[in-house]
Amino acid sequence: MATIKEVAELAGVSVATVSRFMNNSGYVGKASREKVEKAIKLLNFSPNEVARSLYQKKSKLIGLLLPDIANPFFPLVAKGVEDKINELGYSLILGNVQGDLEKEKDYLKIFAQNNVAGVLSAVQGSTKEFHGMPFVLLDRVSEDIEFAVHTDDFHGGELAAQAISERQAKHVVIMVGPKDVPSSHDRLSGNLKVLNEKNIPYQLYQTDTYQFDSAEKTAQHFLDQFPHADSVIASNDVYALAVMKEAIKRGIRIPEELQIIGYDDMPFAALMFPGLSTIAQPAYEIGYQAADLLCRHIENKIILKKRIQLPVTLIIRESLREKMENG
């Protein structure tokens, strides 16, 4: 890989002249500029972005913290982020935390070492680390965050419970998401509002994580604890599909004996049979709009809304029974 010194030697100018040209930080004569441009092209020279960012006290790098890249929801979020920041000339550094506090700290150090221009995070508890750096929280959002992009989880919870309640639900179990995730509380509140209004009895099953690796064991324990459940409101699509798989292994017919609804509408939810009914979140749009908001923050552009809430929609597939006529 060519160096700035080699560019200077080939162009017959000083290293300082090449530096001024690369950073657009001072006068470079027309003749010298043409020589530097030619040398850069001949040597296929790429500047050290970290060095440039230290010199300019800013970079074109964005840090993204995700809780679990194995969960298909988050790669879609990351794709939205990457597409938007690439449009604006930025590049992405991805941190996959996987619920590990030490990994989170390590990624934050990497972000700092690379002098990132700003950070996007879907990880709880990371906000206190940024000390004035441009920062946007996405998906899992608490009320005290100034810049955020998320979906209407309360309404999503209402839609899920309404769909279940209209389909001969007698023994409903709500699989509650982790206590430390704000969206879990909102979804549960939406569930309970509908079920209580309709006087439909229910039980709660508390989960500690959304992690992909825990889904199968959780599903086994869930059906051991609730073998007679006939309706399940799952915490997300991964756990819904895990419960469906375990139920089918036990000879439980879906949706006749057990109906289930998930949350997220991951791409493979429609490819299963029975197809998974779910609450669709616009994962790509969450990432795209969060990236746009962060870049506007970084570049001190006009921001009309600092907190953006996107809608969710109900998707009906074969995992739910037919709707009752009087439902």
Side-chain angles (χ1 to χ4, degrees), residues 14-31:
S14 68
V15 170
T17 297
V18 178
S19 178
R20 286 198 300 273
F21 171 83
M22 295 299 303
N23 294 298
N24 195 27
S25 60
Y27 175 75
V28 178
K30 182 179 178 181

Side-chain angles (χ1 to χ4, degrees), residues 268-289:
F268 55 70
L271 300 178
M272 305 293 294
F273 188 82
L276 177 64
S277 298
T278 189
I279 305 302
Q281 292 198 90
Y284 178 89
E285 191 67 17
I286 291 171
Y288 193 88
Q289 291 212 27

